[in-house]
Amino acid sequence: MALVVQKYGGTSMGSIERIKNVAKRVAKGFDEGNEMVVVVSAMSGETNKLVALANETCEFPDLREYDVLVAAGEQVSIALLSMTLIGMGYKAKSYHGWQVPIITDSVSSKARIEEIPDEKVRADLKNGVIVIVAGFQGIDRQGNVTTLGRGGSDTSAVAMAAALKADVCEIYTDVDGVYTTDPNICTDARKVEKISYDEMLELASLGAKVLQIRSVEFAKKYNVDIHVRSSFNDNQGTMVTKEDKDMEAVLVSGIAYDKNEAKIAVMHVPDKPGIAAKLLTPLSDANISVDMIVQNVSQSGSTDFTFTVTKADFKKALMITNEAAKIVEAKEVISDENISKISIVGVGMRSHAGVATKMFQTLAQEGINIQMISTSEIKVSVVIDAKYTELAVRVLHDAFGMSGK
Ligand code: ADP
Ligand code: ASP
Ligand code: MG
């Protein structure tokens, strides 16, 4: 008998018919003699609808109340799945995050899981109950409902698997694994059999939304192997696991794109020590993470300071930066929401020179201008005009010989 944690995403839970399909899969696991814990997302589109409603109330909706609102999507889907299983003759029970409880910190809308006491879930499993847990949501130590950031159900699932020391953690989604790039924009994308935590962390943080980044951080920290697979077929998916030798043979293992960032540039700042801290501290105080940062100093002694933030944080970040720009005596602040970040990722880059150059040449041949660059040991990212996203992904996929055909 194994303890199995399964997670089903929004598309897999998108209609009653699909929920019935999920219930059949869960029941099969149970009939085979396993203890089943199932984490589910809201039905597809529901969370977006709730976010849109919040944004209609005022410019900056209160984040505590935002969490109360957006957690509602998962409340619907846990009950529907549980009812379906009970209707099929199984014992099933749904849990909100707070009922488990999934205890998080208090950072509304991007909370981190701190602890999951497992007594209640274990008692149910012992009694032959299939446990259905709402993904994406938790509770802080003051009793406030929190959510884990978009795509957070993946993290709920991996955290449940870690807390319960599950034998298997399966993430069921609408593609049958992790591909060399998004199979929905590049038909040549190839399914990867196995990918290291570090590569998956990079891909996830660079926009490959197939797994939320924090789910991979959790998996790495607690050594949880994740099997990413489809809820619509029985294909073997992708194992996200510890790095091993054959993984290093691949130069570039994946290409990610992210249209979800915006660029803010603070222009002509007198070049003095402390500029970066003065511009970025108010943002981190507001819990806004800054991603890429570029600073150039011109000969005239003034500097341009450019960075990116997520689109969700953009309006607030721009307002804060306009204030900070006055303090550092900048000439102007400009911004651009029509950008896209394209990244190539691979542990093989550690031992190969020239990967970045090949990326830049490939983009140049297509006339695609690079606005920002950032590199690490195992990735190169560039910011380009959003309208070239698909083209850039396809030509890079081809240039690095990643095609499955
Ligand atoms: P779920 O609702 O199941 O959580 P998501 O939409 O969050 O599903 O994630 C699955 C989607 O991730 C796929 O439909 C695909 O478009 C996208 N995706 C992006 N990059 C990749 C990749 N490298 N491999 C597989 N899917 C990817
Ligand atoms: N329903 C949430 C979202 O749409 C969480 C998830 O799907 O993982 O972001
Ligand atoms: Mg998702």
Side-chain angles (χ1 to χ4, degrees), residues 31-185:
D31 291 341
E32 286 167 358
N34 301 305
E35 292 181 316
M36 302 296 293
V37 175
V38 187
V39 176
V40 296
S41 295
M43 296 168 81
S44 54
E46 290 305 311
T47 310
N48 285 348
K49 274 189 211 156
L50 297 169
V51 171
L53 285 176
N55 288 332
E56 278 180 40
T57 63
C58 60
E59 199 177 6
F60 298 112
D62 179 80
L63 291 179
R64 181 190 181 276
E65 302 313 323
Y66 169 93
D67 278 357
V68 173
L69 176 72
V70 298
E74 274 70 13
Q75 180 169 345
V76 172
S77 54
I78 49 171
L80 290 173
L81 178 58
S82 200
M83 278 171 194
T84 308
L85 281 160
I86 294 167
M88 288 162 64
Y90 292 85
K91 286 201 272 184
K93 192 167 157 189
S94 66
Y95 279 92
H96 287 202
W98 64 267
Q99 290 172 308
V100 174
I102 295 178
I103 301 174
T104 71
D105 64 18
S106 301
V107 184
S108 302
S109 86
K110 24 182 133 162
R112 282 180 183 270
I113 297 175
E114 290 184 341
E115 194 190 342
I116 307 182
D118 63 356
E119 295 81 12
K120 279 197 237 164
V121 171
R122 283 206 190 276
D124 275 340
L125 292 175
K126 214 180 224 165
N127 288 326
V129 175
I130 298 171
V131 175
I132 316 290
V133 177
F136 181 52
Q137 50 170 270
I139 187 160
D140 73 3
R141 293 184 197 274
Q142 287 72 48
N144 301 298
V145 169
T146 53
T147 62
L148 311 178
R150 298 305 305 270
S153 299
D154 299 328
T155 305
S156 312
V158 177
M160 285 301 295
L164 294 163
K165 300 192 177 54
D167 302 288
V168 180
C169 178
E170 295 175 318
I171 304 278
Y172 285 90
T173 180
D174 54 4
V175 287
D176 62 0
V178 178
Y179 279 68
T180 47
T181 191
D182 186 345
N184 288 322
I185 71 158

Side-chain angles (χ1 to χ4, degrees), residues 257-277:
Y257 65 92
D258 191 350
K259 291 185 184 172
N260 204 26
E261 290 194 3
K263 188 173 81 172
I264 298 179
V266 186
M267 310 298 287
H268 305 293
V269 188
D271 188 27
K272 284 188 233 152
I275 297 290

